[in-house]
Amino acid sequence: MTAPSDLLIRNVRPLGAQAVDILLRGGRISALGARLPATAGCAVEEGEGALLLPGLVESHTHLDKTLWGMDWYRNEVGPLLTDKIDNERAFRAASGHDAGAQSKALAMAFLALGTTRIRTHVDVDTQAGLRHLEGVLRTREALRGLMDIQIVAFPQSGLLGRPGTDALLDQALAAGADVLGGLDPCAIDHDPVRSLDVLFSIAQRHGKPVDIHLHEPGAMGAFSLGLILDRTEALGLQGQVVISHGFCLGDVGLAERDALLARMARLGVALVTSAPPARMV
Ligand SMILES: [Zn+2]
């Protein structure tokens, strides 16, 4: 009997190259070439000259919080990042937001458009506890084999401001989160040295990598970034640290920016998503 994954796709262009046929057996590419013969029982799809790409990678999303597929929501909220954070936390508590159902709905939408690997930041705070994590863990299990979902335990409401958050992050990593998240150690936690020391000590305890949201602008963000790089170096975490956004890199002078980027490259610190045009990196 033919394995269900045997599939011949005709007339596709791998990464834009010349059109070929491609034969998949047992979930792997077994042949690439012109006019491949269809094996017995093999499904055949006509590619019509379309591009053939590897599965796409979404390196930064928040599956747990999405309102995807729900009613229109009018977001009337103050201008500060903390206004937005407080507002969304309260909205989800009041609406009984189902992080499991919502994360699955958005993950399926990603999958339908070709994304097969996702890193998702999942809110962990003293109001929701591990509720969001539990929902996304269910989604990860439900889609196992179709999609790899990497979960970041993310203190969206800050690490120091709400006592007990550090213990929850600890539990989240023990419960199956893959990565420890962080957030603006100056602007949100108001004590960057302590905030980052607490964060890195939790990561060290679990031997897990770190991914830090850094929205802080200019000199403030560059100062935080320097502290993050100091800890990356001192703790031997080369290749284990990611900066999400890093808007400060678009604000500081060119010499300072280049020095920070060179140090990041040396320490294997990746930068993902630099977002809005007003804060270009
Ligand atoms: Zn984010």
Side-chain angles (χ1 to χ4, degrees):
M1 193 178 138
T2 309
S5 54
D6 281 13
L7 172 66
L8 177 65
I9 310 173
R10 294 212 181 277
N11 187 24
V12 284
R13 293 177 296 132
L15 296 170
Q18 199 116 32
V20 290
D21 296 348
I22 177 169
L23 178 65
L24 301 161
R25 308 201 74 176
R28 291 180 170 274
I29 296 172
S30 74
L32 270 174
R35 289 180 294 281
L36 294 178
T39 52
C42 176
V44 180
E45 294 273 351
E46 178 50 52
E48 298 177 346
L51 285 177
L52 182 73
L53 302 172
L56 302 176
V57 177
E58 171 56 71
S59 64
H60 187 116
T61 187
H62 295 253
L63 293 180
D64 61 318
K65 301 200 271 202
T66 182
L67 305 182
W68 184 261
M70 294 173 67
D71 289 341
W72 180 251
Y73 167 69
R74 190 167 167 150
N75 193 29
E76 291 176 297
V77 61
L80 301 176
L81 182 58
T82 46
D83 295 334
K84 297 177 175 69
I85 293 169
D86 292 344
N87 175 69
E88 62 170 24
R89 198 179 59 244
F91 168 77
R92 283 195 300 271
S95 65
H97 182 81
D98 184 343
Q102 286 308 112
S103 61
K104 190 170 177 192
L106 185 55
M108 294 295 285
F110 270 117
L111 189 60
L113 293 174
T115 297
T116 53
R117 293 177 180 193
I118 288 181
R119 171 175 280 197
T120 185
H121 296 254
V122 175
D123 278 24
V124 171
D125 64 60
T126 52
Q127 192 164 5
L130 300 184
R131 201 159 54 81
H132 288 221
L133 175 69
E134 287 154 4
V136 179
L137 284 169
R138 286 197 297 277
T139 293
R140 181 166 77 177
E141 269 318 298
L143 298 183
R144 192 176 288 283
L146 295 172
M147 174 178 256
D148 292 332
I149 297 180
Q150 200 177 50
I151 295 175
V152 184
F154 176 48
Q156 174 75 83
S157 296
L159 175 55
L160 302 181
R162 299 166 66 91
T165 303
D166 55 342
L168 284 167
L169 291 171
D170 208 76
Q171 291 167 33
L173 291 175
D178 305 289
V179 180
L180 179 61
L183 172 69
D184 298 340
C186 286
I188 298 287
D189 274 350
H190 300 168
D191 187 347
V193 168
R194 195 167 136 245
S195 174
L196 291 170
D197 283 349
V198 170
L199 190 78
F200 277 88
S201 74
I202 298 170
Q204 283 285 94
R205 197 152 58 241
H206 291 269
K208 297 275 173 91
V210 176
D211 188 334
I212 300 176
H213 279 65
L214 196 58
H215 310 95
E216 295 167 355
M220 183 200 282
F223 179 68
S224 289
L225 180 52
L227 294 177
I228 292 165
L229 299 178
D230 289 346
R231 281 151 186 76
T232 303
E233 190 159 14
L235 298 170
L237 295 177
Q238 285 84 350
Q240 298 289 303
V241 176
V242 168
I243 299 294
S244 283
H245 316 323
F247 296 145
C248 61
L249 290 164
D251 297 337
V252 295
L254 296 187
E256 186 179 7
R257 181 202 64 189
D258 288 349
L260 283 165
L261 289 173
R263 196 174 174 211
M264 288 171 73
R266 207 164 54 243
L267 294 171
V269 173
L271 178 67
V272 298
T273 82
S274 53
R279 310 282 298 278
M280 214 149 14
V281 173

Short mmCIF file of all heavy atoms in Angstrom, two decimals, residues 70-131:
data_model
loop_
_atom_site.label_atom_id
_atom_site.label_comp_id
_atom_site.label_asym_id
_atom_site.label_seq_id
_atom_site.Cartn_x
_atom_site.Cartn_y
_atom_site.Cartn_z
N MET A 70 -13.14 36.66 15.52
CA MET A 70 -14.15 37.11 16.49
C MET A 70 -14.80 38.40 16.00
O MET A 70 -14.42 38.97 14.98
CB MET A 70 -13.51 37.31 17.86
CG MET A 70 -13.01 36.00 18.47
SD MET A 70 -12.07 36.25 19.99
CE MET A 70 -13.37 36.85 21.08
N ASP A 71 -15.77 38.87 16.76
CA ASP A 71 -16.45 40.10 16.39
C ASP A 71 -15.48 41.29 16.38
O ASP A 71 -14.45 41.27 17.05
CB ASP A 71 -17.59 40.40 17.37
CG ASP A 71 -18.73 39.41 17.16
OD1 ASP A 71 -18.79 38.78 16.08
OD2 ASP A 71 -19.55 39.26 18.09
N TRP A 72 -15.87 42.33 15.67
CA TRP A 72 -15.07 43.55 15.61
C TRP A 72 -14.89 44.11 17.01
O TRP A 72 -15.81 44.17 17.81
CB TRP A 72 -15.77 44.57 14.72
CG TRP A 72 -15.02 45.85 14.60
CD1 TRP A 72 -15.36 47.05 15.15
CD2 TRP A 72 -13.79 46.07 13.89
NE1 TRP A 72 -14.42 48.00 14.82
CE2 TRP A 72 -13.45 47.43 14.05
CE3 TRP A 72 -12.96 45.24 13.13
CZ2 TRP A 72 -12.30 47.97 13.48
CZ3 TRP A 72 -11.81 45.79 12.57
CH2 TRP A 72 -11.50 47.14 12.74
N TYR A 73 -13.65 44.52 17.30
CA TYR A 73 -13.34 45.06 18.62
C TYR A 73 -12.78 46.46 18.44
O TYR A 73 -11.83 46.67 17.69
CB TYR A 73 -12.32 44.16 19.31
CG TYR A 73 -11.68 44.75 20.53
CD1 TYR A 73 -12.43 44.94 21.70
CD2 TYR A 73 -10.35 45.13 20.52
CE1 TYR A 73 -11.84 45.49 22.83
CE2 TYR A 73 -9.76 45.68 21.65
CZ TYR A 73 -10.51 45.85 22.79
OH TYR A 73 -9.94 46.39 23.90
N ARG A 74 -13.41 47.42 19.09
CA ARG A 74 -12.95 48.80 18.95
C ARG A 74 -11.95 49.11 20.05
O ARG A 74 -12.29 49.12 21.24
CB ARG A 74 -14.17 49.72 19.06
CG ARG A 74 -13.84 51.13 18.68
CD ARG A 74 -15.11 51.92 18.50
NE ARG A 74 -14.81 53.32 18.45
CZ ARG A 74 -15.51 54.20 17.78
NH1 ARG A 74 -16.59 53.81 17.12
NH2 ARG A 74 -15.16 55.46 17.77
N ASN A 75 -10.72 49.35 19.66
CA ASN A 75 -9.63 49.48 20.62
C ASN A 75 -9.45 50.93 21.03
O ASN A 75 -8.68 51.68 20.43
CB ASN A 75 -8.35 48.92 20.00
CG ASN A 75 -7.25 48.73 21.02
OD1 ASN A 75 -7.53 48.50 22.20
ND2 ASN A 75 -6.01 48.84 20.60
N GLU A 76 -10.18 51.36 22.06
CA GLU A 76 -10.08 52.74 22.53
C GLU A 76 -9.25 52.75 23.80
O GLU A 76 -9.71 52.36 24.87
CB GLU A 76 -11.49 53.29 22.80
CG GLU A 76 -12.24 53.49 21.49
CD GLU A 76 -13.68 53.94 21.73
OE1 GLU A 76 -14.44 53.18 22.33
OE2 GLU A 76 -14.01 55.05 21.31
N VAL A 77 -8.03 53.18 23.65
CA VAL A 77 -7.09 53.03 24.76
C VAL A 77 -6.07 54.17 24.71
O VAL A 77 -5.83 54.76 23.66
CB VAL A 77 -6.43 51.63 24.66
CG1 VAL A 77 -5.67 51.47 23.36
CG2 VAL A 77 -5.54 51.32 25.82
N GLY A 78 -5.50 54.47 25.87
CA GLY A 78 -4.54 55.58 25.99
C GLY A 78 -3.28 55.35 25.16
O GLY A 78 -3.09 54.29 24.58
N PRO A 79 -2.41 56.35 25.12
CA PRO A 79 -1.28 56.32 24.20
C PRO A 79 -0.08 55.48 24.66
O PRO A 79 0.77 55.13 23.84
CB PRO A 79 -0.87 57.80 24.12
CG PRO A 79 -1.29 58.37 25.44
CD PRO A 79 -2.53 57.61 25.86
N LEU A 80 0.01 55.18 25.94
CA LEU A 80 1.22 54.51 26.43
C LEU A 80 1.16 53.00 26.21
O LEU A 80 0.07 52.41 26.15
CB LEU A 80 1.39 54.76 27.94
CG LEU A 80 1.50 56.23 28.37
CD1 LEU A 80 1.56 56.33 29.89
CD2 LEU A 80 2.73 56.87 27.74
N LEU A 81 2.34 52.41 26.10
CA LEU A 81 2.40 50.95 25.97
C LEU A 81 1.71 50.28 27.18
O LEU A 81 1.00 49.29 27.04
CB LEU A 81 3.87 50.50 25.87
CG LEU A 81 4.11 49.00 25.68
CD1 LEU A 81 3.41 48.46 24.44
CD2 LEU A 81 5.60 48.70 25.62
N THR A 82 1.91 50.87 28.36
CA THR A 82 1.28 50.28 29.56
C THR A 82 -0.24 50.42 29.51
O THR A 82 -0.95 49.57 30.04
CB THR A 82 1.83 50.94 30.84
OG1 THR A 82 1.84 52.36 30.66
CG2 THR A 82 3.24 50.47 31.15
N ASP A 83 -0.77 51.48 28.85
CA ASP A 83 -2.22 51.58 28.67
C ASP A 83 -2.73 50.39 27.86
O ASP A 83 -3.76 49.79 28.18
CB ASP A 83 -2.59 52.87 27.91
CG ASP A 83 -2.25 54.13 28.68
OD1 ASP A 83 -2.21 54.08 29.92
OD2 ASP A 83 -2.02 55.18 28.02
N LYS A 84 -2.02 50.10 26.79
CA LYS A 84 -2.42 48.99 25.90
C LYS A 84 -2.35 47.66 26.65
O LYS A 84 -3.24 46.80 26.53
CB LYS A 84 -1.53 48.96 24.66
CG LYS A 84 -1.65 50.21 23.78
CD LYS A 84 -0.67 50.12 22.61
CE LYS A 84 -0.83 51.29 21.62
NZ LYS A 84 -0.40 52.58 22.16
N ILE A 85 -1.27 47.48 27.40
CA ILE A 85 -1.08 46.21 28.12
C ILE A 85 -2.19 46.03 29.17
O ILE A 85 -2.81 44.97 29.27
CB ILE A 85 0.31 46.18 28.80
CG1 ILE A 85 1.41 46.12 27.72
CG2 ILE A 85 0.43 45.00 29.75
CD1 ILE A 85 2.82 46.35 28.25
N ASP A 86 -2.45 47.10 29.95
CA ASP A 86 -3.48 47.01 30.99
C ASP A 86 -4.85 46.77 30.37
O ASP A 86 -5.65 45.97 30.87
CB ASP A 86 -3.51 48.29 31.83
CG ASP A 86 -2.25 48.43 32.68
OD1 ASP A 86 -1.52 47.43 32.84
OD2 ASP A 86 -1.98 49.54 33.17
N ASN A 87 -5.10 47.44 29.25
CA ASN A 87 -6.39 47.33 28.58
C ASN A 87 -6.63 45.91 28.06
O ASN A 87 -7.69 45.32 28.27
CB ASN A 87 -6.46 48.32 27.42
CG ASN A 87 -7.73 48.17 26.61
OD1 ASN A 87 -8.81 48.48 27.08
ND2 ASN A 87 -7.61 47.67 25.39
N GLU A 88 -5.64 45.35 27.40
CA GLU A 88 -5.86 44.01 26.82
C GLU A 88 -5.96 42.96 27.91
O GLU A 88 -6.73 42.00 27.77
CB GLU A 88 -4.80 43.66 25.77
CG GLU A 88 -3.39 43.59 26.29
CD GLU A 88 -2.42 42.99 25.27
OE1 GLU A 88 -2.71 43.07 24.07
OE2 GLU A 88 -1.38 42.46 25.70
N ARG A 89 -5.21 43.12 28.99
CA ARG A 89 -5.31 42.15 30.08
C ARG A 89 -6.71 42.17 30.69
O ARG A 89 -7.32 41.13 30.92
CB ARG A 89 -4.24 42.44 31.14
CG ARG A 89 -3.98 41.28 32.08
CD ARG A 89 -2.90 41.60 33.12
NE ARG A 89 -3.27 42.74 33.91
CZ ARG A 89 -2.59 43.90 33.93
NH1 ARG A 89 -1.50 44.04 33.22
NH2 ARG A 89 -3.01 44.91 34.67
N ALA A 90 -7.24 43.38 30.92
CA ALA A 90 -8.58 43.52 31.49
C ALA A 90 -9.65 43.00 30.53
O ALA A 90 -10.60 42.33 30.95
CB ALA A 90 -8.84 44.99 31.83
N PHE A 91 -9.48 43.30 29.23
CA PHE A 91 -10.46 42.84 28.24
C PHE A 91 -10.54 41.32 28.21
O PHE A 91 -11.63 40.73 28.19
CB PHE A 91 -10.08 43.37 26.84
CG PHE A 91 -10.86 42.72 25.73
CD1 PHE A 91 -12.16 43.09 25.47
CD2 PHE A 91 -10.28 41.72 24.95
CE1 PHE A 91 -12.89 42.49 24.45
CE2 PHE A 91 -11.00 41.12 23.93
CZ PHE A 91 -12.31 41.49 23.68
N ARG A 92 -9.39 40.69 28.25
CA ARG A 92 -9.39 39.22 28.17
C ARG A 92 -9.99 38.60 29.41
O ARG A 92 -10.71 37.61 29.34
CB ARG A 92 -7.98 38.69 27.93
CG ARG A 92 -7.51 38.85 26.49
CD ARG A 92 -6.28 38.01 26.23
NE ARG A 92 -5.20 38.41 27.11
CZ ARG A 92 -4.32 39.36 26.82
NH1 ARG A 92 -4.39 39.99 25.67
NH2 ARG A 92 -3.38 39.67 27.67
N ALA A 93 -9.72 39.20 30.57
CA ALA A 93 -10.30 38.67 31.82
C ALA A 93 -11.81 38.82 31.79
O ALA A 93 -12.55 37.90 32.14
CB ALA A 93 -9.69 39.40 33.02
N ALA A 94 -12.29 39.98 31.33
CA ALA A 94 -13.74 40.24 31.33
C ALA A 94 -14.47 39.41 30.28
O ALA A 94 -15.62 39.01 30.48
CB ALA A 94 -13.98 41.74 31.09
N SER A 95 -13.80 39.12 29.15
CA SER A 95 -14.49 38.44 28.05
C SER A 95 -14.35 36.92 28.14
O SER A 95 -14.93 36.19 27.34
CB SER A 95 -13.93 38.92 26.71
OG SER A 95 -12.57 38.54 26.58
N GLY A 96 -13.57 36.42 29.10
CA GLY A 96 -13.35 34.98 29.20
C GLY A 96 -12.61 34.43 27.99
O GLY A 96 -12.86 33.31 27.54
N HIS A 97 -11.70 35.24 27.46
CA HIS A 97 -10.92 34.90 26.27
C HIS A 97 -10.40 33.46 26.32
O HIS A 97 -9.78 33.05 27.29
CB HIS A 97 -9.75 35.88 26.16
CG HIS A 97 -8.89 35.68 24.97
ND1 HIS A 97 -9.24 36.17 23.73
CD2 HIS A 97 -7.70 35.05 24.80
CE1 HIS A 97 -8.29 35.85 22.86
NE2 HIS A 97 -7.35 35.17 23.49
N ASP A 98 -10.63 32.71 25.25
CA ASP A 98 -10.21 31.31 25.17
C ASP A 98 -8.91 31.20 24.36
O ASP A 98 -8.92 31.14 23.13
CB ASP A 98 -11.33 30.48 24.51
CG ASP A 98 -11.00 28.99 24.47
OD1 ASP A 98 -9.81 28.62 24.63
OD2 ASP A 98 -11.94 28.19 24.27
N ALA A 99 -7.79 31.20 25.06
CA ALA A 99 -6.48 31.21 24.38
C ALA A 99 -6.24 29.94 23.59
O ALA A 99 -5.53 29.95 22.58
CB ALA A 99 -5.36 31.40 25.40
N GLY A 100 -6.86 28.83 24.01
CA GLY A 100 -6.69 27.57 23.27
C GLY A 100 -7.36 27.65 21.92
O GLY A 100 -6.74 27.41 20.87
N ALA A 101 -8.65 28.01 21.90
CA ALA A 101 -9.40 28.08 20.64
C ALA A 101 -8.83 29.16 19.73
O ALA A 101 -8.68 28.95 18.52
CB ALA A 101 -10.87 28.36 20.93
N GLN A 102 -8.49 30.30 20.29
CA GLN A 102 -8.00 31.40 19.46
C GLN A 102 -6.63 31.09 18.87
O GLN A 102 -6.36 31.39 17.71
CB GLN A 102 -7.95 32.69 20.29
CG GLN A 102 -9.31 33.31 20.55
CD GLN A 102 -10.13 33.48 19.29
OE1 GLN A 102 -11.14 32.82 19.08
NE2 GLN A 102 -9.66 34.37 18.40
N SER A 103 -5.75 30.50 19.68
CA SER A 103 -4.41 30.20 19.15
C SER A 103 -4.52 29.16 18.05
O SER A 103 -3.80 29.23 17.05
CB SER A 103 -3.48 29.72 20.26
OG SER A 103 -3.95 28.54 20.88
N LYS A 104 -5.42 28.21 18.19
CA LYS A 104 -5.56 27.18 17.15
C LYS A 104 -6.11 27.80 15.87
O LYS A 104 -5.65 27.49 14.77
CB LYS A 104 -6.47 26.05 17.63
CG LYS A 104 -6.43 24.87 16.68
CD LYS A 104 -7.13 23.66 17.23
CE LYS A 104 -7.13 22.54 16.20
NZ LYS A 104 -8.03 21.45 16.59
N ALA A 105 -7.08 28.70 16.00
CA ALA A 105 -7.67 29.33 14.81
C ALA A 105 -6.60 30.10 14.02
O ALA A 105 -6.52 30.00 12.79
CB ALA A 105 -8.80 30.27 15.22
N LEU A 106 -5.76 30.85 14.72
CA LEU A 106 -4.74 31.63 14.01
C LEU A 106 -3.63 30.73 13.46
O LEU A 106 -3.14 30.94 12.35
CB LEU A 106 -4.17 32.72 14.92
CG LEU A 106 -3.18 33.68 14.24
CD1 LEU A 106 -3.76 34.35 13.00
CD2 LEU A 106 -2.71 34.76 15.22
N ALA A 107 -3.26 29.70 14.23
CA ALA A 107 -2.22 28.77 13.75
C ALA A 107 -2.69 28.08 12.47
O ALA A 107 -1.92 27.90 11.53
CB ALA A 107 -1.88 27.74 14.82
N MET A 108 -3.96 27.71 12.42
CA MET A 108 -4.50 27.07 11.20
C MET A 108 -4.47 28.04 10.02
O MET A 108 -4.22 27.63 8.88
CB MET A 108 -5.94 26.59 11.45
CG MET A 108 -6.07 25.48 12.47
SD MET A 108 -5.28 23.95 11.96
CE MET A 108 -6.48 23.39 10.75
N ALA A 109 -4.73 29.31 10.30
CA ALA A 109 -4.69 30.31 9.23
C ALA A 109 -3.25 30.47 8.71
O ALA A 109 -3.01 30.57 7.50
CB ALA A 109 -5.23 31.64 9.72
N PHE A 110 -2.28 30.48 9.62
CA PHE A 110 -0.86 30.51 9.21
C PHE A 110 -0.55 29.29 8.34
O PHE A 110 0.10 29.40 7.29
CB PHE A 110 0.04 30.45 10.45
CG PHE A 110 0.41 31.78 11.04
CD1 PHE A 110 0.03 32.12 12.33
CD2 PHE A 110 1.19 32.68 10.33
CE1 PHE A 110 0.39 33.34 12.89
CE2 PHE A 110 1.56 33.90 10.89
CZ PHE A 110 1.15 34.22 12.17
N LEU A 111 -0.99 28.12 8.80
CA LEU A 111 -0.68 26.87 8.10
C LEU A 111 -1.24 26.88 6.69
O LEU A 111 -0.58 26.46 5.74
CB LEU A 111 -1.24 25.70 8.92
CG LEU A 111 -0.86 24.29 8.48
CD1 LEU A 111 0.65 24.08 8.52
CD2 LEU A 111 -1.56 23.25 9.36
N ALA A 112 -2.46 27.37 6.56
CA ALA A 112 -3.11 27.39 5.24
C ALA A 112 -2.33 28.25 4.25
O ALA A 112 -2.43 28.06 3.04
CB ALA A 112 -4.54 27.91 5.38
N LEU A 113 -1.54 29.21 4.74
CA LEU A 113 -0.76 30.07 3.85
C LEU A 113 0.71 29.67 3.80
O LEU A 113 1.55 30.42 3.33
CB LEU A 113 -0.91 31.53 4.30
CG LEU A 113 -2.33 32.09 4.13
CD1 LEU A 113 -2.43 33.48 4.74
CD2 LEU A 113 -2.71 32.14 2.66
N GLY A 114 1.03 28.47 4.32
CA GLY A 114 2.37 27.93 4.11
C GLY A 114 3.33 28.05 5.27
O GLY A 114 4.49 27.65 5.15
N THR A 115 2.90 28.59 6.40
CA THR A 115 3.80 28.69 7.54
C THR A 115 3.79 27.38 8.32
O THR A 115 2.73 26.90 8.72
CB THR A 115 3.37 29.84 8.46
OG1 THR A 115 3.46 31.06 7.72
CG2 THR A 115 4.25 29.94 9.70
N THR A 116 4.97 26.80 8.52
CA THR A 116 5.04 25.51 9.22
C THR A 116 5.83 25.59 10.53
O THR A 116 5.91 24.62 11.26
CB THR A 116 5.68 24.44 8.32
OG1 THR A 116 6.93 24.93 7.84
CG2 THR A 116 4.77 24.12 7.14
N ARG A 117 6.43 26.76 10.82
CA ARG A 117 7.15 26.93 12.08
C ARG A 117 6.79 28.29 12.68
O ARG A 117 6.90 29.30 11.99
CB ARG A 117 8.66 26.86 11.88
CG ARG A 117 9.11 25.48 11.46
CD ARG A 117 10.59 25.45 11.20
NE ARG A 117 10.96 24.12 10.81
CZ ARG A 117 12.22 23.68 10.74
NH1 ARG A 117 13.20 24.49 11.06
NH2 ARG A 117 12.49 22.46 10.36
N ILE A 118 6.42 28.25 13.94
CA ILE A 118 6.01 29.49 14.60
C ILE A 118 6.70 29.61 15.95
O ILE A 118 6.77 28.64 16.72
CB ILE A 118 4.47 29.50 14.84
CG1 ILE A 118 3.73 29.69 13.51
CG2 ILE A 118 4.06 30.56 15.84
CD1 ILE A 118 2.22 29.73 13.66
N ARG A 119 7.23 30.81 16.24
CA ARG A 119 7.61 31.14 17.61
C ARG A 119 6.55 32.08 18.15
O ARG A 119 6.37 33.18 17.61
CB ARG A 119 8.99 31.78 17.69
CG ARG A 119 9.30 32.32 19.09
CD ARG A 119 10.71 32.86 19.23
NE ARG A 119 11.66 31.77 19.43
CZ ARG A 119 12.91 31.95 19.91
NH1 ARG A 119 13.33 33.16 20.24
NH2 ARG A 119 13.73 30.93 20.07
N THR A 120 5.85 31.66 19.19
CA THR A 120 4.78 32.50 19.73
C THR A 120 5.05 32.88 21.18
O THR A 120 5.41 32.05 22.00
CB THR A 120 3.41 31.81 19.59
OG1 THR A 120 2.38 32.72 20.01
CG2 THR A 120 3.30 30.53 20.40
N HIS A 121 4.89 34.16 21.46
CA HIS A 121 5.02 34.67 22.83
C HIS A 121 3.67 34.52 23.51
O HIS A 121 2.64 34.91 22.95
CB HIS A 121 5.45 36.14 22.80
CG HIS A 121 6.81 36.33 22.20
ND1 HIS A 121 7.92 36.62 22.94
CD2 HIS A 121 7.24 36.21 20.91
CE1 HIS A 121 8.99 36.69 22.14
NE2 HIS A 121 8.59 36.45 20.91
N VAL A 122 3.66 33.94 24.71
CA VAL A 122 2.41 33.63 25.40
C VAL A 122 2.40 34.37 26.74
O VAL A 122 3.32 34.21 27.55
CB VAL A 122 2.28 32.11 25.62
CG1 VAL A 122 1.04 31.80 26.43
CG2 VAL A 122 2.24 31.39 24.27
N ASP A 123 1.37 35.18 26.94
CA ASP A 123 1.31 35.99 28.16
C ASP A 123 1.27 35.13 29.42
O ASP A 123 0.44 34.22 29.55
CB ASP A 123 0.04 36.86 28.14
CG ASP A 123 0.23 38.14 27.33
OD1 ASP A 123 1.09 38.15 26.44
OD2 ASP A 123 -0.51 39.11 27.60
N VAL A 124 2.16 35.48 30.35
CA VAL A 124 2.15 34.88 31.68
C VAL A 124 2.10 36.06 32.65
O VAL A 124 3.00 36.90 32.65
CB VAL A 124 3.41 34.03 31.92
CG1 VAL A 124 3.50 33.60 33.37
CG2 VAL A 124 3.44 32.82 30.98
N ASP A 125 1.02 36.17 33.40
CA ASP A 125 0.92 37.27 34.37
C ASP A 125 0.10 36.83 35.56
O ASP A 125 -0.50 35.76 35.56
CB ASP A 125 0.33 38.53 33.70
CG ASP A 125 -1.09 38.34 33.23
OD1 ASP A 125 -1.96 38.04 34.07
OD2 ASP A 125 -1.35 38.51 32.02
N THR A 126 0.07 37.68 36.59
CA THR A 126 -0.56 37.28 37.85
C THR A 126 -2.08 37.29 37.76
O THR A 126 -2.74 36.79 38.67
CB THR A 126 -0.10 38.21 38.99
OG1 THR A 126 -0.32 39.56 38.58
CG2 THR A 126 1.37 38.02 39.31
N GLN A 127 -2.63 37.84 36.67
CA GLN A 127 -4.09 37.80 36.49
C GLN A 127 -4.50 36.53 35.74
O GLN A 127 -5.39 35.80 36.15
CB GLN A 127 -4.57 39.03 35.73
CG GLN A 127 -6.08 39.20 35.77
CD GLN A 127 -6.50 40.61 35.35
OE1 GLN A 127 -5.68 41.43 34.95
NE2 GLN A 127 -7.77 40.89 35.47
N ALA A 128 -3.83 36.26 34.61
CA ALA A 128 -4.19 35.08 33.80
C ALA A 128 -3.47 33.82 34.28
O ALA A 128 -3.87 32.72 33.94
CB ALA A 128 -3.85 35.34 32.34
N GLY A 129 -2.42 33.98 35.08
CA GLY A 129 -1.64 32.82 35.52
C GLY A 129 -1.08 32.09 34.31
O GLY A 129 -0.48 32.71 33.43
N LEU A 130 -1.29 30.78 34.27
CA LEU A 130 -0.77 29.97 33.15
C LEU A 130 -1.89 29.57 32.18
O LEU A 130 -1.72 28.67 31.36
CB LEU A 130 -0.09 28.71 33.70
CG LEU A 130 1.09 28.93 34.64
CD1 LEU A 130 1.73 27.60 35.02
CD2 LEU A 130 2.16 29.84 34.03
N ARG A 131 -3.01 30.26 32.27
CA ARG A 131 -4.18 29.90 31.45
C ARG A 131 -3.87 29.97 29.94
O ARG A 131 -4.23 29.08 29.18
CB ARG A 131 -5.33 30.85 31.80
CG ARG A 131 -6.72 30.36 31.45
CD ARG A 131 -7.78 31.10 32.26
NE ARG A 131 -7.68 32.55 32.14
CZ ARG A 131 -8.18 33.26 31.12
NH1 ARG A 131 -8.77 32.66 30.12
NH2 ARG A 131 -8.05 34.57 31.09
#
